[in-house]
Amino acid sequence: MQTFTASDGTAIAYRLWERSSDLPLVVLHHGLVSDGHVNWIGPGIVDALLASGRRVAAIDAR
């Protein structure tokens, strides 16, 4: 996973599925005791969004 650094120095992981699209980016944020794979990748949510032509980002909780 890629990371970015928040203004307070905390590294936050994210995954981006980039594609050419005029549609807005969909940002997925998982619940407290889970992760992006369990909430969004495993159940097929990311695949469904990609199939509909969306760009998708999944960001980890702090």
Side-chain angles (χ1 to χ4, degrees):
M1 270 196 161
Q2 297 173 313
T3 63
F4 69 90
T5 304
S7 61
D8 66 355
T10 303
I12 299 176
Y14 69 95
R15 184 159 177 199
L16 181 64
W17 293 265
E18 192 64 71
R19 64 181 321 136
S20 178
S21 178
D22 292 330
L23 298 170
L25 173 71
V26 175
V27 178
L28 303 172
H29 191 274
H30 62 78
L32 181 63
V33 294
S34 190
D35 63 24
H37 186 79
V38 170
N39 275 94
W40 312 119
I41 299 170
I45 304 298
V46 170
D47 287 338
L49 289 166
L50 293 172
S52 73
R54 303 304 287 259
R55 296 176 305 131
V56 180
I59 186 169
D60 273 354
R62 290 177 80 89

